[in-house]
Amino acid sequence: MGELKRTPLYDLHVELGAKMVPFAGYEMPVQYGLGVMKEHLHTRAAAGLFDVSHMGQVILGGASYEAIAGAFERMVPMDVLGLGEGRQRYGLFTNGAGGIEDDLMFANRGDHLFVVVNAACKEGDIARMRSVLEPGVTVTEITDRALIALQGPAAETALARLNADVAGMSFMDVATVALNGAECWVSRSGYTGEDGYEISVPAAEAEALSRALLAMDEVEAIGLGARDSLRLEAGLCLYGNDIDAGTSPIEAGLTWAIQKVRRAGGDRAGGFPGASRLFGDLAEGVARKRVGLAPQGRAPMRAGTQLFAEAEGGDAIGEVTSGGFGPTLNGPVAMGYVGSAQAAAGTEIFGEVRGKRMPVTVAKMPLVPANFKR
Amino acid sequence: MKFTEEHEWLREEDGLIVVGITDHASEQLGDVVFVELPETGTEVTKDEEVCVIESVKAASDILAPIDGEIVEVNDAIVEDPGKVNEDPMGDAWFFKIKAADPSQMDDYMDEAAYKDFIG
């Protein structure tokens, strides 16, 4: 792995007493003094500030938005051309077999596309974008900006103190906004199931902006530990756990992210990697599906837990891909893949924990209702 | 009070050995969310895995520090696992063992040695 990289907020994390751990090649805060449980609950009750600067920020430039979007549609099964200016969308890079190479956010910022990709995948993503999109589209990795997320029901109140304009943004809007004297690229989005913002801020001004937010009563610094339990309760996929190069978006329950215009019969159907597999999955159904899982006991069912249809005997029907404790649910929570026959909400199946099969109910996701500002 | 390299503590009380985990262990584990305790009456041998504790981060085994019989368990920490973080050295004990050979206690560290051990 070599030397671990640090984000522009590293010194602040250490000063705040964070426990730093290696994550995707970076030294990142897994928790602060509050601990995972209280950090999670604070985010759902007020507002949490997350450093997500390890994620990749990329600008795609070109002759026009249409030219850039048209090219980008060759990489993702999303409607990029139809995305309005100042709007953001969730996307997936697919591969030739219809698997998922990464999940991402992309935004129409007028004359360019702004793309945010996962830290662990960013080198591969950028290489792939260069190979597919250049020379017609320029691919520029943004390395001089931090990325922070302010999440929770009090995020609007807190951020609006720095610039009232952010209160007028709706879920998935993007805008350039001056915050604490810094030119920020703000989106009303996040990955916790809560209302909130993601803020790309020049690296030199990231610490001052973070301090300004942390000085507010509503805001606490939140580590990756709580980020994981928040997104798990919200039913959101962690790339590498819940989706990967072998998972089709249809199996993963991400069909909603593939707009009709790119599906069979749509005006711009196909033209992205793995289209035939995805169209086949959509037409014929899939053998396995990602589902929410609510263990009936108190024992967490962690990633790798084998799932069975019966309390005894039989082969595994699937596996937990993310699991742990959900502080908001005050109980264990998980997600994983099961055969389509067991995928209906309410189905009782069994997870094998320490050699014992424990009952677990297939549950509708998200397990904790989302709180977005639509 | 004695301490093991597995970050458990043992103390004698009314002829029984009370076992729990140390402050240091509780801090390292983070928020404890699940505790499974052995059945009373179970015969255990030293270093046998007798129960499981899960924090927000991971599952860990709790070992029997000595041979003997589990005669009492602390159901309060099953009901409210957070107690293990609040008072690991006191109210949040795990189980009491009727020791087969109390001299096994002598193998373990005293408080000063344990403090050196955890640095």
Side-chain angles (χ1 to χ4, degrees), chain B:
Chain B
M1 197 177 256
K2 294 282 194 169
F3 298 85
T4 78
E5 293 190 0
E6 305 295 328
H7 308 286
E8 293 171 28
W9 55 259
L10 304 80
R11 100 179 116 77
E12 275 192 80
E13 189 182 283
D14 305 329
L16 299 175
I17 309 299
V18 189
V19 179
I21 67 166
T22 66
D23 280 326
H24 175 76
S26 148
E27 274 168 36
Q28 293 297 310
L29 283 166
D31 301 309
V32 174
V33 297
F34 175 75
V35 178
E36 187 178 71
L37 292 172
E39 307 255 327
T40 56
T42 310
E43 293 285 341
V44 296
T45 49
K46 185 171 182 283
D47 297 336
E48 182 185 340
E49 294 163 9
V50 290
C51 54
V52 175
I53 177 170
E54 297 222 25
S55 73
V56 284
K57 293 176 202 158
S60 318
D61 295 314
I62 303 293
L63 308 182
I66 50 173
D67 301 342
E69 181 192 347
I70 306 282
V71 291
E72 197 179 336
V73 298
N74 187 1
D75 288 322
I77 61 171
V78 176
E79 293 300 313
D80 182 6
K83 283 191 195 314
V84 178
N85 297 108
E86 288 158 21
D87 192 12
M89 308 285 284
D91 284 348
W93 55 275
F94 276 59
F95 49 82
K96 297 180 183 177
I97 298 186
K98 187 171 185 190
D101 175 10
S103 75
Q104 283 178 327
M105 289 270 284
D106 301 340
D107 300 343
Y108 291 120
M109 294 175 271
D110 61 17
E111 188 169 358
Y114 180 69
K115 277 192 172 147
D116 283 346
F117 174 71
I118 59 177

Side-chain angles (χ1 to χ4, degrees), chain A residues 170-185:
Chain A
S170 293
F171 184 59
M172 290 293 204
D173 278 354
V174 297
T176 299
V177 178
L179 295 172
N180 206 46
E183 186 203 276
C184 296
W185 307 338

Side-chain angles (χ1 to χ4, degrees), chain A residues 60-134:
Chain A
L60 304 182
S64 64
Y65 180 77
E66 286 68 32
I68 303 161
F72 197 56
E73 285 196 356
R74 302 208 310 267
M75 303 189 72
V76 298
M78 280 75 220
D79 178 7
V80 189
L81 278 163
L83 181 65
E85 185 171 342
R87 295 287 294 161
Q88 177 176 266
R89 194 161 264 175
Y90 177 73
L92 305 162
F93 288 122
T94 46
N95 60 34
I100 301 169
E101 290 292 316
D102 196 6
D103 62 346
L104 62 136
M105 290 287 190
F106 59 94
N108 176 349
R109 290 189 28 94
D111 62 350
H112 66 271
L113 258 183
F114 179 57
V115 180
V116 177
V117 299
N118 280 304
C121 303
K122 67 182 173 184
E123 277 182 39
D125 289 342
I126 290 165
R128 221 169 326 101
M129 283 191 274
R130 288 195 198 289
S131 97
V132 174
L133 302 175
E134 286 180 345

Side-chain angles (χ1 to χ4, degrees), chain A residues 1 7 11 32 37 42 55 62 68 98 111 142 168 175 187 193 212 227 233 239 257 269 276 292 335 343 355 362:
Chain A
M1 205 77 216
T7 77
D11 290 343
Y32 299 83
M37 189 101 76
H42 181 86
M55 297 181 81
I68 303 161
D111 62 350
I142 306 302
S187 69
R227 185 171 168 82
E233 284 183 342
Y239 189 83
S276 59
M335 65 170 86
V362 174

